[in-house]
Amino acid sequence: MILLLTRHTRRTPMHMRLFVASSSVSRAALSSLSSSASDAKFYIPRKERATSNSMYEIDNIYDQRIKRRRRIDPTRELNYTPDHWERHKSVFRRIKHMLTTFGSSPFQRLMFPDFFVTSMIAGSLTYYNNFMVIDASSQLWIDGSGFAAATTAIALMTGFRLNASNARYAEGRKLIGAVHSTSRDLATNTMMWIKLREDKKRMINLIKAFSVAMTFHLNKKGAHHSIRRCLPNFEEQIYAEYQAELLDIFSDDKNEDFLLICNWFRLKENVPLGITTLMRQIIAENEQKDSFTRELDIHVHRLVQSLGGC
């Protein structure tokens, strides 16, 4: 069926196109693309960081969360550790919640337009019924049965939405966890079973680059949430941050894999899938037993499965 679909559309599958691109795109053409991006403003290379959290501005009031740029931005946990869980389950947590209610993200995000619109409607109805209506028969009101039906429907819808949101969150955590564990296993097996030192280094760099590419594949901004989409050079700035993160991995702006992956991002290709193609190319060229080769390919297949689930 895949062959028939390919023949009908006259387009080669995604992984084949990326494989052909990896063997045909010249270094000179990719160098011109990589040199056109502006300098990164938000990403801090690892060697320049004072601490592991120095890349982000932390809000120390609300459990070490990343500081929000705007009121409507959601809260983001940098690392949810056992210490955070201990503070969350503390017997004094309710006192802290009362003191930080007006500065909390849920309250500020609900204040406008939800609370504002509801308050305006309620205030308008109260003013109309008390000051503008002469007799009680002209007042706007709803009986108890209608109110009960409305609240029941809202409660059912809220419960369904809450369960669906929690299920998506739990599934996302499983997929991200699978990427982390598979990346560690693949890196360990690479150091054991890939023979050539150059191939080992290249494979390790691709494993690191996969996580970066997947982050930008799922979110256009990557992990740089403070970048505004309304900026005139938004695309160039995102590309600069993306390129800076990859350069921190490859350490050479002339590296063929680095230039190729940057070019895929420019062309809006499926970059994580292309990186798995390069991984499998290294595995196929490795002179090792078939059982070891299959084990390496299984780990790459798990990365592809996690990508498909996202």
Side-chain angles (χ1 to χ4, degrees):
M1 183 175 181
I2 296 177
L3 294 177
L4 293 176
L5 181 62
T6 304
R7 175 183 294 182
H8 179 70
T9 57
R10 294 186 179 181
R11 293 183 63 184
T12 56
M14 182 65 188
H15 65 279
M16 291 300 296
R17 287 191 286 131
L18 295 177
F19 179 79
V20 172
S22 65
S23 60
S24 61
V25 178
S26 63
R27 180 183 299 180
L30 293 176
S31 299
S32 61
L33 288 173
S34 63
S35 61
S36 62
S38 58
D39 295 332
K41 298 179 181 179
F42 298 91
Y43 182 74
I44 302 175
R46 292 182 180 273
K47 62 182 180 180
E48 299 178 8
R49 301 178 197 173
T51 61
S52 59
N53 298 340
S54 61
M55 181 176 168
Y56 302 98
E57 187 176 359
I58 305 299
D59 190 349
N60 294 319
I61 300 178
Y62 303 107
D63 296 333
Q64 299 294 320
R65 295 171 180 171
I66 300 177
K67 194 170 185 178
R68 294 178 294 142
R69 180 175 56 84
R70 298 178 299 170
R71 177 189 59 82
I72 62 176
D73 291 343
T75 56
R76 294 180 174 92
E77 298 284 354
L78 185 59
N79 288 306
Y80 197 79
T81 62
D83 294 335
H84 291 84
W85 177 253
E86 182 179 0
R87 289 195 297 269
H88 174 70
K89 300 300 291 185
S90 172
V91 294
F92 302 104
R93 65 184 183 275
R94 293 178 178 84
I95 300 177
K96 180 181 179 181
H97 292 166
M98 287 189 293
L99 297 176
T100 59
T101 297
F102 295 101
S104 63
S105 172
F107 182 84
Q108 291 184 352
R109 297 180 72 190
L110 288 173
M111 186 176 298
F112 185 85
D114 303 77
F115 287 164
F116 177 78
V117 173
T118 303
S119 301
M120 289 295 296
I121 295 175
S124 300
L125 289 175
T126 302
Y127 179 81
Y128 177 81
N129 291 333
N130 292 328
F131 299 100
M132 299 185 65
V133 175
I134 300 177
D135 54 346
S137 60
S138 301
Q139 291 183 351
L140 298 177
W141 59 280
I142 185 172
D143 60 357
S145 60
F147 182 77
T151 54
T152 302
I154 292 174
L156 292 175
M157 183 183 66
T158 303
F160 174 77
R161 292 288 299 274
L162 180 61
N163 291 334
S165 300
N166 184 70
R168 290 195 299 268
Y169 173 76
E171 184 65 21
R173 285 184 63 93
K174 291 179 182 178
L175 293 173
I176 296 299
V179 171
H180 290 172
S181 59
T182 303
S183 298
R184 286 191 291 265
D185 292 341
L186 182 57
T188 303
N189 293 338
T190 295
M191 298 305 296
M192 291 190 299
W193 297 333
I194 297 294
K195 286 191 172 182
L196 297 179
R197 179 175 298 180
E198 294 78 7
D199 289 344
K200 286 183 180 181
K201 182 178 179 181
R202 184 187 176 196
M203 190 71 167
I204 294 298
N205 289 339
L206 290 176
I207 294 172
K208 296 178 182 177
F210 180 86
S211 298
V212 175
M214 190 170 182
T215 302
F216 281 88
H217 180 73
L218 298 177
N219 190 336
K220 181 67 175 178
K221 296 181 180 180
H224 308 285
H225 307 290
S226 57
I227 302 179
R228 300 290 298 275
R229 293 181 182 270
C230 59
L231 294 176
N233 61 338
F234 173 75
E235 294 289 341
E236 290 297 322
Q237 189 60 55
I238 290 297
Y239 177 72
E241 305 298 334
Y242 174 81
Q243 192 181 47
E245 293 196 34
L246 289 180
L247 187 60
D248 201 16
I249 295 173
F250 290 96
S251 303
D252 182 12
D253 58 356
K254 303 300 182 182
N255 184 281
E256 291 185 0
D257 290 335
F258 167 76
L259 297 174
L260 187 60
I261 294 172
C262 290
N263 183 48
W264 287 339
F265 186 80
R266 277 287 202 186
L267 299 177
K268 301 185 184 302
E269 298 282 1
N270 192 329
V271 182
L273 184 61
I275 292 176
T276 58
T277 304
L278 297 178
M279 292 179 182
R280 280 175 163 158
Q281 182 181 2
I282 297 174
I283 295 173
E285 296 173 355
N286 183 45
E287 298 178 0
Q288 191 55 272
K289 295 181 180 179
D290 292 339
S291 59
F292 296 154
T293 301
R294 284 195 299 269
E295 186 68 23
L296 290 170
D297 186 70
I298 288 174
H299 291 309
V300 177
H301 179 66
R302 291 174 181 170
L303 293 178
V304 176
Q305 283 184 321
S306 300
L307 176 62
C310 296

